């Protein structure tokens, strides 16, 4: 749909070859093309601004000036910088020294939390763990049933003491979920929470209360790859509300460029741990920064 | 935006507002160019007023945003025919919730409504819709078998609507990403099978206001598959402005008809172009 950065820069540099050093106008045109490519990929504006300022110098130094194909050289640099940011703090899931490990899922409505709970449960079980999923979305119609079905499909236990649909206290269920795990010997607790808006003060307080009640080892921000410019504010709000420790990108089986990955890592400083790539239990993988960078730049 | 003279910083601010609202770079830059030309031509400096005017014009208040939800009589058989509304979109945008809310609106207008749970795929999707049906007091037609043929369920829902002499049948479908060919084909089939009862009156594409530039792709592909007749823009109660619908409307020539403003049964409203623009500039 949109021109890739590579195509854009080929056009920008068409007149350049053989001309020698980049003029100040070439420099501006290059930075502008990088900016547009990132914006078309849904990277948030403030993040684009910081990023282009940071690559400006490198993209316009000798490694580009001397290059046979300056356009490709700039693309290479931008790609490298993206990979560095996206994978800078790449790490594995943090497990508690004294089990159970508690993983809390948080995010906007419909991002893919409940689906992810099933996938995480399945994946953890494959890794030799004994996980339990805890149903703390007592709000969305039949969220509890949805988690129970996902747990059943994954062959993973589900702790769902309250029926939901407006009945039950999510903070209390979360606390009891961890007690339940301790009593029954489950070593990982995955806490599914209701979708909420970053601007919803009451629900963010509730999320924060859930976090305080279970002291999670990981608070994973579940993020839809299709999200646009609001990613940066939303990520900030969740980070302030529940202190995120990691990110999971969902719906990466779609054709969205997923520039929000860059936005969220930049503003929260939390690494992306996993990618969700479909509706099935097994559509789940460890996050690959290089693939994500290529995807954002459409390479 | 309230300075007397319009300098470059102001134009950058305007561009940032538009891009930040997910209008997209192309439409945003175009709009800024048009504004610049207009202000220069008319010797004006009230950027905000003219920007608002241009945006309202782009959103087009003259479009017909009414819903086709009136029952009719089959011209050949004379049989009662409920209006049929198909609700489609990618995963998690708010289709099922919108069906529930829309049913509430229609019930308040004294219409008899039947829901069809043609999402036979996602865990507890039919239960979720049934809960909505109970909440607003309308019956839900669903299959008890997991993974049942969604076209068959949709067909049965309309059949029930005909038999019950309902005014409207709202068919909820499974979320699907537009780049999944088989799932888009399946959706086409759902529509064709429903059409054995007669034409589908509305095909509502649900777009999430937080969606970025991919929204245009969604609109294109869904339109090709099932001829979308209206957009529902959900989750406008958050910080996202939903600016992608400006390009969607322009490209498809299909209006935004409804907006979702929350998770409750009453959080659905008609789309108001001026309100949308004011929120966008807020
Ligand atoms: N294609 C695709 N669909 C996904 C993916 N992850 C989740 N989904 C779908 O997205 C929709 C929403 O997923 P849920 O798991 O219910 O999302 P949630 O965040 O729990 O939603 P709420 O609890 O309502 O906030 C469902 O249709 C899922 O099947 C993914 O990686 N790819
Ligand atoms: N804040 C807010 N949340 C909404 C709105 N509409 C729907 N939601 C929430 O978004 C989530 C997903 O809604 P659903 O109706 O299940 O979405 P869907 O499109 O049917 O999802 P799938 O069938 O899984 O593809 C739920 O948590 C809803 O409560 C809205 O207008 N505002
Ligand atoms: K919003
Ligand atoms: Mg959920
Ligand atoms: Mg649904």
């Amino acid at each position: 749909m949109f021109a890739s950065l590579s195509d854009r820069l080929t056009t920008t540099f068409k007149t350049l070859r053989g001309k020698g050093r980049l003029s100040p106008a070439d420099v501006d045109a290059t930075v502008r093309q990088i900016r547009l490519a990132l914006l078309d990929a849904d990277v948030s504006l403030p993040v684009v601004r910081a990023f282009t300022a940071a690559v400006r110098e490198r993209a316009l130094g000798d490694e580009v000036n001397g290059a046979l194909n300056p356009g490709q050289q700039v693309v290479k640099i931008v790609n490298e910088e993206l990979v560095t940011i996206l994978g800078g703090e790449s790490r594995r899931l943090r497990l508690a020294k004294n089990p159970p490990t508690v993983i809390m899922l948080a995010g906007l409505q419909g991002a893919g939390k409940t689906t992810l709970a099933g996938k995480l449960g399945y994946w953890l079980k494959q890794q030799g763990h004994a996980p339990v999923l805890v149903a703390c979305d007592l709000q969305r119609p039949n969220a509890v049933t949805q988690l129970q079905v996902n747990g059943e499909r994954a062959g993973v236990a589900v702790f769902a003491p309250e029926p939901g649909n407006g009945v039950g206290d999510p903070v209390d269920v979360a606390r009891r979920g961890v007690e339940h795990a301790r009593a029954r010997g489950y070593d990982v607790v995955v806490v599914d929470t209701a979708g909420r808006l970053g601007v919803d003060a009451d629900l963010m307080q509730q999320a924060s209360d859930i976090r305080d009640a279970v002291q999670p080892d990981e608070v994973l921000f579940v993020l839809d790859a299709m999200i646009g410019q609001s990613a940066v504010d939303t990520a900030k709000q969740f980070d302030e509300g529940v202190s995120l420790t990691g990110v999971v990108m969902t719906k990466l089986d779609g054709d969205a460029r997923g520039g929000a990955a860059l936005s969220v890592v930049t503003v929260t400083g939390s690494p992306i741990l996993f990618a969700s790539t479909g509706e099935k239990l097994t559509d789940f993988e460890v996050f690959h920064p290089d693939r994500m960078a290529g995807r954002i730049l459409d390479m | 935006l309230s300075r007397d003279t319009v300098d470059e910083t102001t134009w950058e601010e305007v561009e940032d507002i538009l891009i930040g609202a997910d209008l997209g770079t192309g439409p945003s830059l175009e709009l800024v160019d048009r504004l610049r030309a207009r202000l220069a031509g008319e010797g004006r400096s009230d950027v905000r007023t003219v920007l608002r005017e241009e945006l309202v014009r782009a959103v087009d208040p003259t479009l017909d945003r009414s819903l086709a939800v009136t029952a009719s009589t089959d011209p050949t058989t004379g049989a009662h025919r409920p209006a049929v509304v198909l609700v489609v979109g990618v995963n998690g945008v708010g289709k099922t919730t919108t069906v529930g809310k829309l049913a509430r609106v229609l019930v308040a207008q004294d219409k008899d409504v039947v829901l069809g749970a043609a999402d036979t795929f996602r865990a507890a999707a039919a239960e979720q819709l049934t809960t909505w049906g109970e909440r607003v007091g309308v019956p839900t037609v669903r299959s008890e078998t997991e993974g049942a043929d969604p076209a068959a369920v949709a067909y049965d829902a309309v059949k029930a609507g005909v038999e019950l002499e309902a005014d409207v049948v709202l068919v909820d479908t499974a979320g699907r990403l537009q780049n999944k060919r088989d799932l888009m084909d399946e959706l086409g089939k759902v529509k064709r099978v429903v059409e054995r009862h007669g034409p589908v009156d509305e095909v509502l594409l649900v777009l999430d206001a937080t969606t970025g530039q991919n929204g245009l792709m969604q609109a294109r592909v869904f339109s090709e598959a099932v001829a979308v007749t209206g957009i529902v823009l959900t989750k406008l109660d958050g910080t996202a402005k939903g600016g992608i619908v400006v390009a969607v409307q322009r490209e498809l020539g299909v209006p935004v008809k409804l907006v979702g403003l929350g998770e409750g049964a009453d959080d659905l409203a008609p789309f108001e172009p001026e309100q949308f623009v004011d929120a966008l500039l807020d």
Side-chain angles (χ1 to χ4, degrees):
Chain A
M1 176 165 55
F2 298 106
S4 69
L5 180 59
S6 189
D7 293 343
R8 291 168 184 285
L9 290 178
T10 305
T11 317
T12 309
F13 285 110
K14 208 156 49 199
T15 51
L16 188 76
R17 200 173 305 205
K19 205 171 76 180
R21 293 195 73 80
L22 301 183
S23 70
D26 295 329
V27 172
D28 289 343
T30 303
V31 170
R32 181 124 188 106
Q33 291 308 324
I34 296 172
R35 174 185 145 86
L36 288 175
L38 294 175
L39 288 171
D40 285 347
D42 289 323
V43 181
S44 303
L45 261 172
V47 174
V48 170
R49 222 173 270 133
F51 183 86
T52 48
V55 296
R56 188 181 185 105
E57 226 147 286
R58 217 191 131 191
L60 301 156
D62 286 342
E63 43 182 327
V64 175
N65 266 316
L68 213 52
N69 187 337
Q72 284 315 312
Q73 192 62 27
V74 172
V75 174
K76 186 167 162 274
I77 290 167
V78 172
N79 187 58
E80 278 171 19
E81 294 288 335
L82 282 180
V83 174
T84 305
I85 296 174
L86 291 171
E89 288 177 60
S90 184
R91 64 165 177 83
R92 298 159 76 105
L93 204 62
R94 199 180 287 150
L95 296 173
K97 284 202 191 73
N98 303 311
T101 296
V102 179
I103 303 170
M104 174 176 168
L105 307 182
L108 292 174
Q109 287 93 346
K113 297 174 292 297
T114 307
T115 306
L116 178 70
K119 292 178 179 186
L120 262 178
Y122 183 79
W123 181 81
L124 286 162
K125 205 179 143 198
Q126 305 292 106
Q127 312 268 311
H129 291 285
V132 59
L133 315 181
V134 179
C136 293
D137 179 355
L138 304 176
Q139 187 178 314
R140 167 175 169 172
N142 300 80
V144 173
T145 333
Q146 187 189 355
L147 188 72
Q148 282 168 326
V149 172
N150 285 343
E152 205 171 291
R153 287 180 186 169
V156 168
V158 176
F159 180 71
E162 296 286 356
N165 292 356
V167 179
D169 172 11
V171 182
D172 183 51
V173 169
R175 186 183 302 115
R176 285 159 64 196
V178 178
E179 283 165 13
H180 175 83
R182 207 164 272 137
R184 301 291 181 87
Y186 295 111
D187 70 340
V188 187
V189 182
V190 178
V191 180
D192 183 31
T193 65
R196 64 200 77 223
L197 298 168
V199 286
D200 187 329
D202 292 346
L203 282 183
M204 283 310 285
Q205 184 57 48
Q206 180 202 74
S208 160
D209 293 343
I210 293 176
R211 186 204 55 196
D212 292 347
V214 299
Q215 301 285 323
D217 300 279
E218 294 276 12
V219 182
L220 301 183
F221 184 47
V222 182
L223 182 75
D224 187 322
M226 294 179 273
I227 193 171
Q229 292 291 320
S230 59
V232 76
D233 284 339
T234 303
K236 267 189 208 155
Q237 288 150 356
F238 273 88
D239 201 22
E240 276 159 24
V242 292
S243 306
L244 305 172
T245 64
V247 180
V248 180
M249 290 283 284
T250 64
K251 308 182 197 174
L252 277 171
D253 47 325
D255 54 12
R257 290 278 183 80
L262 188 68
S263 309
V264 169
V265 169
T266 304
V267 299
T268 67
S270 298
I272 303 176
L273 301 183
F274 300 105
S276 196
T277 56
E279 296 191 73
K280 293 197 306 289
L281 274 177
T282 47
D283 296 330
F284 173 74
E285 50 192 59
V286 167
F287 180 74
H288 295 283
D290 50 336
R291 283 189 212 162
M292 195 69 226
R295 180 182 180 119
I296 290 173
L297 295 177
D298 193 25
M299 313 195 307
Chain B
L1 294 187
S2 51
R3 286 182 209 101
D4 287 344
T5 52
V6 189
D7 54 16
E8 281 310 310
T9 321
T10 308
W11 291 120
E12 270 166 35
E13 269 172 41
V14 172
E15 192 186 302
D16 285 0
I17 289 172
L18 299 175
I19 289 174
D22 290 312
L23 248 84
T25 57
S28 300
L29 298 182
E30 249 174 61
L31 201 60
V32 169
D33 283 346
R34 196 155 57 247
L35 271 178
R36 289 183 100 130
R38 247 194 88 181
L39 288 183
E42 296 170 21
R44 298 168 66 170
S45 61
D46 49 341
V47 182
R48 198 186 176 90
T49 317
V50 183
L51 172 60
R52 187 176 182 280
E53 269 173 37
E54 288 290 339
L55 274 170
V56 169
R57 192 202 316 233
V59 176
D60 196 354
T62 67
L63 291 175
D64 177 10
R65 300 177 194 273
S66 60
L67 287 176
V69 284
T70 310
S72 58
T73 309
D74 190 301
T76 47
T77 65
H80 174 85
R81 231 188 56 75
V84 176
V85 180
L86 194 62
V87 179
V88 304
V90 300
N91 304 83
V93 286
K95 294 174 293 299
T96 307
T97 309
T98 298
V99 168
K101 293 173 184 175
L102 185 53
R104 164 81 125 225
V105 170
L106 296 170
V107 166
Q109 296 170 358
D110 268 339
K111 292 190 192 286
D112 286 330
V113 180
V114 171
L115 307 185
D119 180 354
T120 58
F121 182 78
R122 210 208 65 207
E127 286 84 350
Q128 184 189 358
L129 189 70
T130 307
T131 299
W132 271 108
E134 285 162 5
R135 194 180 269 187
V136 303
V138 304
T140 303
V141 174
R142 55 173 289 192
S143 166
E144 294 306 323
T145 356
E146 203 183 272
D149 176 11
V153 179
Y155 182 88
D156 288 348
V158 179
K159 184 158 168 268
V162 173
E163 285 164 4
L164 294 168
E165 302 206 343
D167 296 294
V168 189
V169 179
L170 302 176
V171 179
D172 184 28
T173 64
R176 67 199 76 224
L177 298 179
Q178 75 279 2
N179 63 333
K180 308 248 161 129
R181 207 30 204 288
D182 51 339
L183 296 182
M184 294 311 291
D185 288 348
E186 178 194 81
L187 187 62
K189 183 183 160 203
V190 169
K191 189 178 178 214
R192 283 194 306 279
V193 170
V194 166
E195 280 168 344
R196 288 185 198 153
H197 289 291
V200 169
D201 300 83
E202 284 279 358
V203 179
L204 297 178
L205 173 68
V206 181
L207 290 178
D208 183 327
T210 63
T211 309
Q213 298 309 300
N214 193 246
L216 192 54
M217 206 79 110
Q218 294 169 24
R220 270 183 203 153
V221 180
F222 273 95
S223 242
E224 273 164 28
V226 287
V228 171
T229 61
I231 309 290
V232 182
L233 184 60
T234 57
K235 309 188 193 174
L236 261 184
D237 45 326
T239 42
K241 311 288 191 185
I244 190 65
V245 296
V246 176
V248 167
Q249 273 201 168
R250 185 166 71 175
E251 184 168 314
L252 301 189
V254 164
V256 183
K257 295 191 168 178
L258 300 164
V259 295
L261 298 166
E263 300 186 75
D266 296 315
D267 297 328
L268 187 73
F271 176 78
E272 302 282 357
E274 307 230 345
Q275 265 178 32
F276 173 80
V277 169
D278 287 335
L280 202 148
L281 294 177
D282 197 16

